[in-house]
Amino acid sequence: HWLVRLWLLPLLLGQPALWGHFIAQHTSTDHDCDARHTARVVLTHPAYEWLSWGMNYHAVHHMHPRVPFHQLRRAFDATRRELRHVEERGYLRAHTAVVRAALDRPASL
């Protein structure tokens, strides 16, 4: 029973929230080799930014993987003009953009 309580239950409860975060980071971005285009920055509430260790600055994290999480906002401010995918209105808007892009994309066989 300890395995269920300590590992499986948190996994099952936390994974849906994490997928909401992960989907917004890379889905419906460009598929080239440039980190400025293949991930997204989602500006969000400071509490969520803290909780996610600044991973809402995901494109910046890919551009500069050695920058510590607490410096990602400063790195974002310095590189903002270089980034292609910045969502200024939070994760709900980022997911809206993902869904719209999926609906606009022609089905492939």
Side-chain angles (χ1 to χ4, degrees), residues 1 5 13 15 27 43 46 60-61 71-72 76 87 102 105:
H1 288 36
R5 280 186 255 165
L13 294 175
Q15 208 60 345
T27 308
L43 302 182
V60 179
H61 162 71
Q71 295 293 328
L72 287 171
F76 166 70
E87 178 49 66
R105 184 170 297 151

Side-chain angles (χ1 to χ4, degrees), residues 65-77:
R66 293 185 177 160
V67 171
F69 73 94
H70 57 88
Q71 295 293 328
L72 287 171
R73 181 188 298 178
R74 183 179 294 168
F76 166 70
D77 291 339

Side-chain angles (χ1 to χ4, degrees), residues 19-94:
W19 276 107
H21 179 84
F22 296 152
I23 287 170
Q25 300 307 339
H26 289 283
T27 308
S28 297
T29 59
D30 302 335
H31 297 285
D32 58 23
C33 294
D34 193 331
R36 296 171 299 174
H37 309 157
T38 60
R40 181 178 280 113
V41 168
V42 181
L43 302 182
T44 188
H45 192 276
Y48 188 79
E49 182 178 316
W50 177 82
L51 184 65
S52 69
W53 284 33
M55 282 300 110
N56 55 304
Y57 299 107
H58 206 66
V60 179
H61 162 71
H62 280 278
M63 291 169 62
H64 309 289
R66 293 185 177 160
V67 171
F69 73 94
H70 57 88
Q71 295 293 328
L72 287 171
R73 181 188 298 178
R74 183 179 294 168
F76 166 70
D77 291 339
T79 59
R80 182 180 191 141
R81 290 184 181 164
E82 299 175 39
L83 301 171
R84 188 172 290 169
H85 303 282
V86 177
E87 178 49 66
E88 298 188 16
R89 296 176 290 177
Y91 277 91
L92 185 58
R93 293 292 183 153

